[in-house]
Amino acid sequence: MAGIGNCNRDAAADRIGAHCVNSGCLLMNPLSYLNAPVWLLEVAGSAKSPRKNPILGNKRLNEKGLHRNRVALAAKLAERRRSRLAASIDPADRAHFDEHGYFITRDFLPKETFEAFRREVYGAPFEAREMRQGQTVTRMTPLPPHVLARNPALAQTFRDPVAIAQIRYAASRGGQPLGFLQTVIAEPSRQIKDPQTDVHADTFHATSKAWLFLHDVGEDDGPFCYVPGSHKASPERLEWEYQCSLNALSDERSHHSHGSFRIRSHELDALGLPQPVRMAVPGNTLIVADTFGFHGRTPSDRPTTRVEMHWHMRRNPFLPWTGLDLKSLPGIRERELSLFMKYSDLREKYLKKRHIWRPVGEVMVDSPAHI
């Protein structure tokens, strides 16, 4: 699925990165030397795009193992952080996650809480934004404190301690996840491919996404799919990452060339991994997945609308601690998404950097797409 921050691509960086794949250079344009300190710092952080960062996209450095070593080190640190978070997770659930890469909990909320949650979500319009990717529109409904204050069941669900603990464990980090209501609207009549239906990894390190479904999701409703066990940095996976790093910039798949590597069916076989499992589940099911593992949105052959409570969490993978989370500070906690949207709107207004998430006003969560 599309990350909230993957909104404004720098065309100049794309051009520099594309040149570098052929030449093996780091910095082609003299003015780009001004960005060198930032690019160097990003190597020690969560940056993933070979196109936005010519160091990450440099073929010679990747031949020497830059990307592969980042993946391996991030995986080792994630394992250590999870060991410190393990006590917060039910042992049986933890064993399932450690083996498969995801938690799945049916009847997650008590029946009365779930029904109250549904009444609040479907009972009134919310201020929302939408993004189109091919035949799919994703609607995002932010949940800042003033919205949570007038919807107590929604607030209780948003802050559920079991969900938060699983999200943190999957991301291998403590702190405040980002959460919002999400509606996924499939319009197959458009016959334009949704890039999120390609099985892929979100990035090169442990990161989590979670979905609590407000209704049943059937086999034909475009369910989430996941490749069990693909969250592990096995020798085969590290070799695959290495090969991807050498050719990502020249790959015609835009998301792949920006560091969200796509994988084909025969490649899964070569890695000794099974084919994706389709998560057709009843309403009130919570799924929490490490999206370093391969996953995607299953294509739908008919118009569908899927509504869910959605969280995700991504942090710097090279920090050894689980706490010290800036996004948990007063003034930022539970306001991260709203603050980011305001920032992006200002970039669009004053810097002409178009924001991919378009405001659609107050709408019902299950209404048809507006863009």
Side-chain angles (χ1 to χ4, degrees):
M1 296 198 151
I4 297 302
N6 297 337
C7 302
N8 300 301
R9 289 181 176 165
D10 187 332
D14 277 12
R15 290 193 295 271
I16 294 168
H19 195 161
C20 285
V21 74
N22 295 319
S23 65
C25 70
L26 286 178
L27 306 170
M28 297 301 300
N29 187 320
L31 292 177
S32 69
Y33 280 96
L34 298 175
N35 291 323
V38 174
W39 290 333
L40 284 169
L41 286 173
E42 287 181 341
V43 173
S46 60
K48 65 178 183 179
S49 175
R51 288 202 173 275
K52 289 183 178 180
N53 185 320
I55 297 175
L56 297 180
N58 184 263
K59 190 168 185 177
R60 291 179 184 172
L61 291 178
N62 285 318
E63 285 174 345
K64 294 181 180 297
L66 173 62
H67 176 73
R68 179 176 182 150
N69 290 335
R70 289 180 89 217
V71 176
L73 177 58
K76 288 179 181 178
L77 289 170
E79 184 177 357
R80 292 175 187 174
R81 290 192 300 267
R82 281 182 180 142
S83 69
R84 295 197 291 274
L85 296 167
S88 64
I89 305 295
D90 175 86
D93 292 339
R94 187 172 72 241
H96 183 276
F97 177 91
D98 290 345
E99 177 63 24
H100 299 288
Y102 61 90
F103 299 101
I104 181 166
T105 311
R106 292 173 173 82
D107 298 319
F108 179 73
L109 294 175
K111 183 177 180 181
E112 298 77 11
T113 304
F114 183 63
E115 291 305 320
F117 172 49
R118 281 174 49 88
R119 285 194 297 271
E120 290 179 358
V121 171
Y122 288 115
F126 292 85
E127 195 76 25
R129 295 183 180 242
E130 293 179 354
M131 170 187 66
R132 178 175 289 281
Q133 292 183 298
Q135 67 177 22
T136 304
V137 170
T138 302
R139 176 178 301 138
M140 175 178 60
T141 302
L143 299 172
H146 72 273
V147 172
L148 297 175
R150 63 174 183 256
N151 294 282
L154 176 56
Q156 181 180 346
T157 302
F158 178 83
R159 296 165 177 153
D160 186 274
V162 175
I164 299 301
Q166 291 186 359
I167 293 162
R168 289 170 174 167
Y169 188 82
S172 77
R173 289 299 303 271
Q176 177 65 35
L178 185 151
F180 51 93
L181 293 175
Q182 178 169 275
T183 307
V184 180
I185 304 166
E187 300 174 331
S189 61
R190 288 181 173 262
Q191 298 189 359
I192 305 172
K193 182 171 180 164
D194 174 1
Q196 302 307 322
T197 60
D198 288 331
V199 176
H200 62 279
D202 280 350
T203 188
F204 69 94
H205 61 88
T207 180
S208 64
K209 287 184 177 177
W211 302 261
L212 176 62
F213 300 103
L214 275 80
H215 54 84
D216 295 351
V217 180
E219 287 283 348
D220 300 324
D221 294 332
F224 174 72
C225 67
Y226 194 88
V227 177
S230 61
H231 66 305
K232 301 174 184 177
S234 65
E236 294 83 3
R237 174 66 180 272
L238 291 175
E239 177 61 23
W240 182 84
E241 292 279 345
Y242 173 74
Q243 295 299 330
C244 286
S245 72
L246 302 182
N247 303 301
L249 275 176
S250 59
D251 197 287
E252 62 184 11
R253 296 167 294 180
S254 175
H255 286 76
H256 189 93
S257 67
H258 278 275
S260 179
F261 292 158
R262 271 51 188 160
I263 190 165
R264 298 180 174 93
S265 180
H266 70 275
E267 293 176 290
L268 289 173
D269 294 338
L271 293 179
L273 292 170
Q275 294 303 304
V277 173
R278 297 160 69 98
M279 304 288 186
V281 295
N284 197 19
T285 296
L286 176 70
I287 295 173
V288 181
D290 176 357
T291 53
F292 171 65
F294 298 123
H295 64 284
R297 213 159 33 208
T298 304
S300 178
D301 295 329
R302 61 183 179 84
T304 61
T305 300
R306 192 178 79 209
V307 182
E308 58 221 16
M309 180 72 218
H310 182 55
W311 299 261
H312 74 77
M313 191 170 190
R314 183 183 300 180
R315 298 292 192 269
N316 186 330
F318 301 118
L319 299 179
W321 52 79
T322 58
L324 299 177
D325 183 47
L326 294 177
K327 295 177 182 180
S328 299
L329 292 174
I332 300 176
R333 186 181 181 87
E334 299 183 351
R335 293 181 172 86
E336 178 192 354
L337 184 55
S338 296
L339 292 171
F340 177 76
M341 291 300 147
K342 290 178 181 177
Y343 164 75
S344 298
D345 289 343
L346 290 172
R347 278 174 55 90
E348 179 168 315
K349 181 176 180 180
Y350 294 108
L351 301 179
K352 309 306 178 186
K353 302 286 188 180
R354 190 175 189 275
H355 191 202
I356 197 170
W357 289 99
R358 310 311 301 168
V360 294
E362 290 195 346
V363 299
M364 302 298 290
V365 292
D366 57 347
S367 64
H370 295 78
I371 61 172

